[in-house]
């Protein structure tokens, strides 16, 4: 499996090579544009006269009242657009994550995902939204402010700042998978991300660095989602292979008949030799309930 830091670059290539993923990126921008035009028109039609007349009634000169009201309306419309885009963005990022998994041929992940109660998933979605707003976003802003002086150090300072900001950025890319595929709570997801902070920081340092590139960061914020999905898919396949290997080894081991069972004379009276039937039943039970790898990826935790 490729190292974590290579996936953000792989995500760019994969995204550009699969046009069906572009729709997930364009939709929120187009919807926000339409919403912006509508909100701007409605603001000028309804809010502008109300604000202007309120200022005039408060004793403000008429010419100044209208100028200030126009400025207020433009700011209010921009705020509405930002809020609308902030609501749409996670929805389409999750859709892009799922679409990438399907394009990667990982449809079975959707068929074997942990069954989470709809109400519980809704509550977790609300709590994850709060966590992302109050922890991830706020933490990233605080960390960015704290690490801003590091950017004064050419190259090395920027790398250190990106590394520090990499962990929360990477966790934010994985929380959708943790909650809706693995059945984690927000706390479980955070603890798992912290236990694997080395890999998360390795992924995040490149992802954050890409989002620092002016203009292109509007593209890279989406290719990083693709990168996270590709990383998850590779880990899933790796652990599937490990689980299958363990099951094959156990099946082969059960087929080897012990010396004591072939030669009763070498077996002590108190020794116990399991029957072929009992061992076969145990393996069938194990196969029907496959084990879970230590990373939590694989058929048992999809």
């Amino acid at each position: 499996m490729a190292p974590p830091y290579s996936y953000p670059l792989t995500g760019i290539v994969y995204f550009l090579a699969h046009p069906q993923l572009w729709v997930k990126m364009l939709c929120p921008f187009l919807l926000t544009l339409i919403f912006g035009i509508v909100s701007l028109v409605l603001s000028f039609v309804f809010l502008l006269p109300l604000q202007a007349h309120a200022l005039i009634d408060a004793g403000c000169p008429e010419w100044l009242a209208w100028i200030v009201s126009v400025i207020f309306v433009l700011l209010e419309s921009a705020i509405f657009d930002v809020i609308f885009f902030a609501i749409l963005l996670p929805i389409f990022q999750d859709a892009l994550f799922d679409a990438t998994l399907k394009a990667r041929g990982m449809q079975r992940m959707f068929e074997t995902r942990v069954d989470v109660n709809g109400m519980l998933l809704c509550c977790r979605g609300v709590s994850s939204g709060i966590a992302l707003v109050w922890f991830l976003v706020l933490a990233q802003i605080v960390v960015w402010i704290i690490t801003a002086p590091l950017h004064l150090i050419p190259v090395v300072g920027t790398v250190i700042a990106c590394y520090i900001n990499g962990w929360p950025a990477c966790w934010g890319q994985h929380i959708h998978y943790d909650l809706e595929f693995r059945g984690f709570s927000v706390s479980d997801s955070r603890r798992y991300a912290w236990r694997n902070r080395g890999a998360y920081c390795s992924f995040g340092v490149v992802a954050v660095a890409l989002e620092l590139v002016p203009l292109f960061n509007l593209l890279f914020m989406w290719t990083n989602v693709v990168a996270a999905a590709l990383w998850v898919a590779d880990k899933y396949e790796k652990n599937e292979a490990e689980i299958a290997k363990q099951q094959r080894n156990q099946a082969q081991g059960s087929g080897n008949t012990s010396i004591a069972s072939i030669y009763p004379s070498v077996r002590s009276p108190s020794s116990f030799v399991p029957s072929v039937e009992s061992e076969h039943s145990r393996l069938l039970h194990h196969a029907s309930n496959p084990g879970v790898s230590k990373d939590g990826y694989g058929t048992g935790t999809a």
Side-chain angles (χ1 to χ4, degrees), residues 9-250:
L9 301 177
T10 304
I12 298 174
V13 178
Y14 195 89
F15 180 81
L16 296 177
H18 292 78
Q20 69 268 31
L21 301 178
W22 301 354
V23 179
K24 307 299 182 183
M25 181 192 74
L26 294 176
C27 279
F29 287 106
L30 293 176
L31 291 175
T32 303
L33 178 62
I34 295 172
F35 178 84
I37 294 173
V38 173
S39 67
L40 189 62
V41 171
L42 293 178
S43 295
F44 271 96
V45 172
F46 296 104
L47 294 181
L48 179 61
L50 290 175
Q51 294 176 162
H53 289 117
L55 290 174
I56 293 172
D57 293 340
C60 181
E62 185 173 350
W63 64 272
L64 181 60
W66 284 101
I67 293 175
V68 172
S69 296
V70 169
I71 296 174
F72 281 171
V73 165
L74 292 176
L75 291 175
E76 290 161 358
S77 179
I79 292 173
F80 291 152
D81 293 346
V82 170
I83 295 174
F84 183 78
F85 184 76
I87 294 172
L88 282 183
L89 186 62
I91 297 173
F92 281 93
Q93 283 183 330
D94 291 349
L96 177 61
F97 188 98
D98 295 346
T100 302
L101 290 179
K102 293 177 180 178
R104 174 68 171 68
M106 302 300 292
Q107 181 66 39
R108 61 187 181 278
M109 292 179 66
F110 297 86
E111 299 169 354
T112 59
R113 66 198 297 179
V114 172
D115 186 18
V116 182
N117 180 271
M119 182 61 67
L120 179 60
L121 184 59
C122 179
C123 293
R124 284 179 175 175
V126 172
S127 62
S128 67
I130 295 174
L132 288 174
V133 171
W134 291 104
F135 180 79
L136 290 177
V137 176
L138 185 60
Q140 286 185 23
I141 293 174
V142 172
V143 173
W144 272 118
I145 294 174
I146 295 174
T147 57
L150 291 173
H151 293 280
L152 298 176
I153 306 174
V155 183
V156 176
T158 301
V159 171
I160 295 174
C162 291
Y163 187 84
I164 295 173
N165 287 275
W167 179 80
C170 186
W171 177 37
Q173 302 288 2
H174 282 76
I175 196 168
H176 164 63
Y177 175 73
D178 288 344
L179 298 188
E180 299 191 28
F181 283 77
R182 304 169 74 183
F184 280 9
S185 65
V186 175
S187 298
D188 293 334
S189 176
R190 185 183 66 252
R191 284 193 292 267
Y192 177 83
W194 184 249
R195 286 198 306 270
N196 296 272
R197 57 187 176 274
Y200 274 49
C201 287
S202 178
F203 177 97
V205 65
V206 180
V208 172
L210 289 173
E211 293 187 10
L212 288 177
V213 181
L215 297 180
F216 289 98
N217 53 5
L218 295 175
L219 171 65
F220 294 150
M221 65 185 293
W222 295 95
T223 60
N224 286 337
V225 176
V226 175
L230 295 176
W231 189 20
V232 165
D234 285 352
K235 287 190 285 187
Y236 190 94
E237 287 185 332
K238 177 184 176 182
N239 286 283
E240 272 187 332
E242 291 178 353
I243 292 172
K245 182 179 178 180
Q246 291 174 2
Q247 291 178 342
R248 286 195 302 270
N249 291 340
Q250 291 175 351

Side-chain angles (χ1 to χ4, degrees), residues 247 250-256 273-289:
Q247 291 178 342
Q250 291 175 351
Q252 291 173 357
S254 66
N256 297 329
V273 178
S275 65
V276 175
E277 290 77 7
S278 65
E279 183 66 10
H280 181 64
S281 300
R282 184 188 68 80
L283 288 172
L284 286 177
H285 175 72
H286 184 275
S288 63
N289 298 277

